[in-house]
Amino acid sequence: MLESVWQINVALLLSEMLVCSTVVLPMPGRWRKKILNKLSHFWNRYPRVRIVIKTLIGFVALALVDCLRTLYLMTQVSDPLNPAKPDDVKIKLYGAQRDAFITGFILFLFLMLHRFERLVSNVAKLEKQYSEETTQQQDIKKEIEVLKQDKEKLLKQARENNLEEFEKPKGLSKSVGAPASTDYSPVPKTRKRNVAKE
């Protein structure tokens, strides 16, 4: 049972070291970005994989607690006045220390990679929002340019209409172009005759 647990621990450690090495290795930025985006997409797309890996990390955390408890008990049993220890105690102490370092390193790498995945997903969301906002700004700029052109056309038409009205002669009538009557004298009122009532 213990051998299978430590095989799982070694497999987790190797996989975490492989992912960290792909992040750290010198390569073009676009390749690294593609790899990280694929890993983040895989992690976010399959929740069962997340559950399995987090369960395994929980077992690793329990193994770390057990190793620390073993180290504490062995240090309590040993006599500080007599530092000479038998070989079996030294071997057990060495094994507990080794297991504690391995499990602690596995947990540290998992937490670091989990945080890094969160950062990558946040960066991807921000890039998507930025691209959407830039497209919206470009559309708004195009609409503003179209409105400016329409405004210039309307202003040009208004100026032409004003010039035509200003240049139209005042003496001509609107219908045929005959000269308008300039006699503005009042029309004489006809007197009403009193009709005698019979």
Side-chain angles (χ1 to χ4, degrees):
M1 181 68 182
L2 291 175
E3 292 180 358
S4 62
V5 171
W6 286 109
Q7 287 176 359
I8 293 170
N9 289 338
V10 170
L12 284 172
L13 181 61
L14 291 176
S15 61
E16 289 174 353
M17 290 177 68
L18 180 64
V19 174
C20 289
S21 62
T22 55
V23 172
V24 175
L25 283 176
M27 64 176 67
R30 56 185 179 180
W31 293 1
R32 185 181 291 111
K33 188 176 180 181
K34 286 181 181 179
I35 292 169
L36 293 175
N37 287 331
K38 286 181 180 179
L39 289 173
S40 178
H41 181 69
F42 178 78
W43 179 261
N44 292 322
R45 186 174 181 180
Y46 300 103
R48 293 182 180 178
V49 175
R50 291 199 306 265
I51 291 170
V52 171
I53 292 175
K54 288 181 180 179
T55 305
L56 294 175
I57 292 298
F59 287 130
V60 171
L62 291 176
L64 176 63
V65 172
D66 184 51
C67 293
L68 294 175
R69 185 184 64 84
T70 303
L71 286 173
Y72 178 75
L73 292 175
M74 291 182 72
T75 54
Q76 290 294 324
V77 170
S78 62
D79 188 6
L81 299 177
N82 187 10
K85 298 178 183 177
D87 293 334
D88 57 348
V89 176
K90 290 181 181 178
I91 291 171
K92 287 182 181 180
L93 183 61
Y94 173 75
Q97 289 175 351
R98 178 201 60 197
D99 297 341
F101 281 119
I102 291 172
T103 52
F105 192 62
I106 291 170
L107 286 174
F108 173 73
L109 287 178
F110 175 76
L111 293 174
M112 187 179 69
L113 290 173
H114 190 267
R115 180 62 180 165
F116 195 71
E117 184 272 329
R118 289 287 181 88
L119 292 174
V120 169
S121 61
N122 289 332
V123 168
K125 289 179 182 178
L126 291 173
E127 286 180 351
K128 187 177 180 181
Q129 290 178 0
Y130 178 75
S131 63
E132 290 177 356
E133 289 179 357
T134 50
T135 52
Q136 288 178 359
Q137 287 180 358
Q138 290 176 358
D139 294 336
I140 290 170
K141 286 180 181 179
K142 290 179 181 178
E143 290 178 359
I144 289 171
E145 290 177 357
V146 171
L147 291 173
K148 283 182 179 179
Q149 291 176 359
D150 294 338
K151 181 182 176 182
E152 290 176 357
K153 289 180 182 179
L154 291 173
L155 288 173
K156 189 176 180 181
Q157 290 177 0
R159 288 172 185 170
E160 289 176 355
N161 291 332
N162 288 333
L163 287 173
E164 288 177 359
E165 290 178 359
F166 182 74
E167 291 176 355
K168 188 180 289 185
K170 295 181 180 179
L172 298 176
S173 64
K174 294 181 180 178
S175 62
V176 185
S181 61
T182 56
D183 188 9
Y184 294 109
S185 61
V187 179
K189 295 181 179 179
T190 57
R191 294 180 182 179
K192 292 182 180 179
R193 294 178 181 180
N194 293 325
V195 180
K197 293 181 180 180
E198 293 179 355

